[in-house]
Amino acid sequence: MASHRKSRPVGTRVAGIRTPALATAALTSVALLSQSANAAPTDDKPSLEEVEKKVDDLYRQAESATDNYNAAKEKTATQRKQVDTLLDDVARRTEKLNEAREELGSFAAAQYRTGAGASGTATFLLADTPQDYFDQTQLMGRLTNRQKGAVDDYVSEQSATMKKRQEASQSLQTLTETQSDLKTAKATVQKKLADAREMLSELTAQEKARLAALEKQKQEAAARKAAELAQQQQAAAEKAAQEATAPQESTSTATDSSYATKAAKALAFVRAQIGKPYVWGATGPDSYDCSGLTQAAWKAAGVDLPRVTYDQVNAGTTVSLADAQPGDLVFFYDDISHVGLYIGNGMMIHAPKPGAYVREESIYYDGESAIHSVVRPA
């Protein structure tokens, strides 16, 4: 016998309410979307590690821009001296030209008074005696020769003066362009530093504390790496001393002694600067940027280094890291945007970055891969 019960519709109950299959699927989708929304992050705020990397990158970019600023500033100073020299030369030549012009005028007046340009007969008529005529003729001959020389000198001086004026004009134009480059480089540095400060200002106190902890861990790892290098260098030095022959040892000792004497002066100077602030573009005595510090240190030892890092890297002999000696320059990054003064045992003294102070630190402060080269400047 057939059942009279109505078939139950396919579906499920939600809160006691019978729902069709389509509604069930919709509710399931809503639930899944809700779960996904709850699981998704509320914002795309970067991690502390990402913030640290971005800030470090900005400081590096600022330091690279600082080198461009320093180079433009040095070039501007040199060109300004050239322009001043050229303008002084033009002024002297103009004065000399005016004197030559006055001399030509005096010749013209003398000719007028003595009848220059007139025929011999007319000139003779002005003379009282044949002897007077002879004397006047001789005088006019001398005046003519002197006048010709004066005209030649005037033309030559006029040409030289015009050439110098053109050189001065070109130098002024170049100076203007360099000053524009200087302004651009300065704006770039300021922008990078402002971006770094803004990123740091957005961190909470807790995040700043965690960032400081990360930096401490990084420094501890760098210190361990420096200690390893110190041990390797010590072992290498002892081995070299044992293997060296007497003549080689004598020559090497003399060379090392000469360099060590100069390096000691550079090191004494740089140690005295510890605690002074990093200021981009500064060369002392109250503040320094990285290359300003190394330049000042070696100047105290009687050695003149160029102003910027990418010139300093070529101002000496490149040596291996294993052979680094106190006083050597350690350069960093592919763009050679940072430099420090090696003091031995894997350590250096450098002006790190804006907001920091001249300090002693491991040469591995930013990892082994950051080291570009080591240069012995004397």
Side-chain angles (χ1 to χ4, degrees), residues 26-268:
L27 286 173
T28 302
S29 299
V30 170
L32 289 174
L33 289 172
S34 177
Q35 291 174 3
S36 299
N38 292 333
T42 56
D43 56 39
D44 56 353
K45 187 175 182 180
S47 66
L48 282 179
E49 289 79 2
E50 291 174 331
V51 170
E52 181 185 35
K53 185 179 184 305
K54 287 182 179 180
V55 169
D56 286 345
D57 286 345
L58 284 168
Y59 279 141
R60 275 192 54 203
Q61 292 169 24
E63 196 161 32
S64 181
T66 296
D67 264 351
N68 293 333
Y69 169 82
N70 290 336
K73 186 177 181 181
E74 190 174 47
K75 188 177 179 181
T76 298
T78 300
Q79 289 177 338
R80 184 175 287 112
K81 289 180 181 178
Q82 291 176 347
V83 168
D84 290 342
T85 300
L86 284 170
L87 290 177
D88 288 343
D89 193 12
V90 168
R92 286 193 298 269
R93 289 181 179 277
T94 300
E95 184 178 355
K96 191 174 180 180
L97 199 61
N98 291 335
E99 292 174 355
R101 187 181 293 111
E102 291 176 1
E103 187 175 6
L104 286 176
S106 67
F107 286 144
Q111 287 177 328
Y112 177 78
R113 288 193 301 271
T114 56
S119 64
T121 304
T123 304
F124 176 75
L125 292 175
L126 295 175
D128 294 331
T129 66
Q131 183 63 42
D132 290 341
Y133 171 77
F134 178 78
D135 292 341
Q136 288 181 15
T137 301
Q138 293 297 313
L139 174 62
M140 289 308 303
R142 290 194 296 273
L143 281 175
T144 301
N145 291 335
R146 285 182 61 193
Q147 183 180 23
K148 184 178 183 302
V151 169
D152 291 342
D153 291 343
Y154 177 81
V155 172
S156 176
E157 191 63 39
Q158 187 179 43
S159 176
T161 301
M162 290 179 64
K163 183 178 180 181
K164 287 296 179 181
R165 282 175 178 167
Q166 290 175 350
E167 289 179 12
S169 177
Q170 292 173 352
S171 293
L172 279 171
Q173 181 178 353
T174 303
L175 176 59
T176 301
E177 293 171 354
T178 305
Q179 286 175 328
S180 177
D181 293 341
L182 182 65
K183 184 177 180 181
T184 300
K186 182 176 182 179
T188 301
V189 176
Q190 291 174 328
K191 178 66 167 60
K192 298 298 182 184
L193 296 181
D195 290 345
R197 285 193 294 267
E198 183 178 358
M199 288 195 71
L200 291 173
S201 68
E202 293 175 352
L203 296 178
T204 65
Q206 184 178 5
E207 287 173 330
K208 288 180 181 178
R210 286 179 56 200
L211 196 61
L214 289 174
E215 180 64 24
K216 184 178 179 181
Q217 292 175 3
K218 187 177 177 181
Q219 291 178 354
E220 289 172 348
R224 288 192 296 270
K225 190 70 177 176
E228 292 175 8
L229 176 62
Q231 291 177 352
Q232 293 170 5
Q233 289 179 332
Q234 180 63 29
E238 292 174 355
K239 183 178 179 181
Q242 292 174 356
E243 296 176 350
T245 61
Q248 291 174 333
E249 185 177 356
S250 175
T251 303
S252 175
T253 301
T255 303
D256 291 347
S257 176
S258 174
Y259 179 73
T261 299
K262 295 177 181 178
K265 294 179 181 179
L267 291 170

Side-chain angles (χ1 to χ4, degrees), residues 55-71 185 188-190 192-193 278-281 288-294 307-310 330-333 335-340 348 350-354 356 365-366:
V55 169
D56 286 345
D57 286 345
L58 284 168
Y59 279 141
R60 275 192 54 203
Q61 292 169 24
E63 196 161 32
S64 181
T66 296
D67 264 351
N68 293 333
Y69 169 82
N70 290 336
T188 301
V189 176
Q190 291 174 328
K192 298 298 182 184
L193 296 181
Y278 176 104
V279 174
W280 64 273
Y288 298 90
D289 62 19
C290 68
S291 57
L293 179 65
T294 51
R307 175 64 183 92
V308 296
T309 53
Y310 48 77
V330 185
F331 294 90
F332 298 86
Y333 311 116
D335 60 356
I336 318 174
S337 58
H338 189 67
V339 62
M348 67 178 175
H350 67 148
K353 59 186 178 182
Y365 77 105
D366 203 18

Side-chain angles (χ1 to χ4, degrees), residues 315-328:
T317 304
T318 301
V319 299
S320 68
L321 183 58
D323 293 331
Q325 295 181 17
D328 291 349

